[in-house]
Amino acid sequence: MLRYSADIRTLLWCLAMPVVALTMFWDPGLIPYLCPLACYLALSAGVIAHNHNHCPTFRNRKMNEGMGMWLSLFYGYPTFVWIPTHNLNHHKFVNKAGDATITWRYSKKHNFLVAFLFPFVSTYWQQEPTKAFIDKARARNPALFRQIVLQYVVWGGTHAALVALAIYLHGIGGGLRVWAFAFLIPAVFSLWTIMFFNYIQHVHSDPWSEHDHSRSFTGRLINFFLFNNGLHAVHHETPGLHWSLLPQAHAKIAASIDPRLKPVSFFGWCFRSYVLAPLFPRFGTTQVGRAPYDPPQGGAVDVSFGDELQAVDSGVNVARV
């Protein structure tokens, strides 16, 4: 049923998600030990949802739809939103004007405050392509619209049932606390971290370049735990390629990527950028190549959302412009 055998690991992670979360329902005393793991698994749910929408996990369409709903429960939001905001918008513009998730909307600087606030800014601006996608699905693709509505119903209904179960087991105060640590806090962590990653993988890169449009983290550890999502440049160049094949594809273009855009350690890069750089500016990032707000043809740029999204099914990968 799997299209790639590497997704056996994907399914193991998916099975671990409810085990870790519901164990906290069974014994709230384990919250301090299991909540951090739940946060990682919620982040994994977002990463897997990203991979799944680019390259569906199963051969069967209904199973792929079910996978999206399952991941929604842990990621923190219905996973269909990856399609309009990421597959159809971000992959088309790649941090240029028109991308709802541009890193330079309000500031061209790169520091911790800008990076920390970016997920909140990005969340606000992603509402526009999401609404456009839902409106067009309602008008032009009834089957897709029903799938979107069903994801919302399953996501919202399941969490209402989980809250009720937690309250039944531990009372109102204790139940809400357990649900928050098992599901809410991990979901918030996942949503913020996913968008933070998007920021650092594009800030001060060159979207007009063939290979320097994204920052890739090449360390084995981060790529194991995040299903090779550190290898961002090659993902943008071959978005439909399965995550397990990204290391080989990255190796083919690695020599053509600016060394500043392929750090090994994620944590080392963050330490240099956000701890050392305020004291020693040489450790901070600088613009590589042409800035996203400086188009080769010159002229002003319009950062408002105005792209024509199509009501299409998951797995669609648009080409860069």
Side-chain angles (χ1 to χ4, degrees):
M1 294 185 292
L2 293 172
R3 298 176 68 230
Y4 293 88
S5 60
D7 276 322
I8 292 174
R9 177 151 67 93
T10 298
L11 297 185
L12 290 174
W13 262 239
C14 288
L15 291 174
M17 294 169 193
V19 172
V20 171
L22 293 178
T23 297
M24 286 182 271
F25 276 52
W26 173 64
D27 184 357
L30 295 174
I31 284 175
Y33 309 101
L34 294 182
C35 186
L37 180 56
C39 287
Y40 162 68
L41 289 172
L43 173 60
S44 296
V47 170
I48 293 169
H50 164 265
N51 295 344
H52 179 68
N53 276 324
H54 277 296
C55 183
T57 305
F58 297 102
R59 298 181 185 275
N60 181 275
R61 179 173 176 174
K62 289 296 182 183
M63 293 185 70
N64 284 324
E65 292 176 4
M67 179 78 160
M69 293 179 193
W70 177 264
L71 293 168
S72 296
L73 302 179
F74 305 96
Y75 170 53
Y77 202 77
T79 56
F80 81 88
V81 296
W82 280 98
I83 304 168
T85 62
H86 185 79
N87 294 47
L88 302 180
N89 178 254
H90 175 63
H91 268 267
K92 181 176 182 179
F93 295 106
V94 194
N95 206 34
K96 299 193 292 287
D99 185 349
T101 62
I102 53 174
T103 61
W104 46 278
R105 187 179 299 278
Y106 297 119
S107 175
K108 299 177 178 64
K109 297 179 180 179
H110 174 212
N111 54 50
F112 179 75
L113 180 61
V114 175
F116 177 80
L117 294 176
F118 174 80
F120 304 101
V121 174
S122 182
T123 297
Y124 175 81
W125 286 98
Q126 286 183 80
Q127 294 178 76
E128 293 190 55
T130 300
K131 183 179 182 298
F133 184 72
I134 294 173
D135 289 344
K136 285 188 168 54
R138 182 189 291 111
R140 304 180 187 179
N141 193 331
L144 176 59
F145 182 68
R146 287 193 296 271
Q147 182 184 341
I148 291 171
V149 172
L150 184 59
Q151 272 205 16
Y152 273 117
V153 170
V154 170
W155 170 70
T158 301
H159 277 285
L162 287 166
V163 169
L165 175 61
I167 291 174
Y168 172 77
L169 293 172
H170 305 289
I172 295 179
L176 292 176
R177 174 177 174 272
V178 167
W179 175 78
F181 279 103
F183 289 98
L184 180 61
I185 292 173
V188 172
F189 172 81
S190 172
L191 293 166
W192 184 90
T193 305
I194 287 284
M195 285 185 257
F196 171 73
F197 264 100
N198 182 73
Y199 176 84
I200 65 175
Q201 287 177 318
H202 288 288
V203 65
H204 282 166
S205 62
D206 179 1
W208 312 101
S209 167
E210 182 179 5
H211 300 300
D212 290 340
H213 47 77
S214 307
R215 179 174 287 100
S216 297
F217 294 92
T218 61
R220 291 186 179 182
L221 198 61
I222 189 171
N223 282 298
F224 173 81
F225 283 107
L226 294 184
F227 297 84
N228 292 330
N229 271 250
L231 306 177
H232 205 59
V234 71
H235 167 63
H236 267 286
E237 294 175 26
T238 55
L241 190 66
H242 190 260
W243 64 266
S244 64
L245 303 177
L246 290 178
Q248 299 94 310
H250 171 79
K252 295 178 181 179
I253 66 169
S256 302
I257 300 174
D258 189 292
R260 292 171 290 176
L261 294 175
K262 48 182 181 180
V264 175
S265 170
F266 162 75
F267 292 107
W269 183 88
C270 287
F271 181 77
R272 291 191 300 272
S273 298
Y274 303 128
V275 178
L276 295 181
L279 302 173
F280 310 102
R282 70 179 183 274
F283 289 104
T285 62
T286 55
Q287 179 63 48
V288 174
R290 184 180 289 273
Y293 44 84
D294 182 22
Q297 68 273 20
V301 294
D302 181 6
V303 299
S304 61
F305 173 75
D307 189 33
E308 178 72 10
L309 289 174
Q310 299 299 316
V312 293
D313 208 344
S314 60
V316 171
N317 301 294
V318 298
R320 285 188 293 151
V321 296

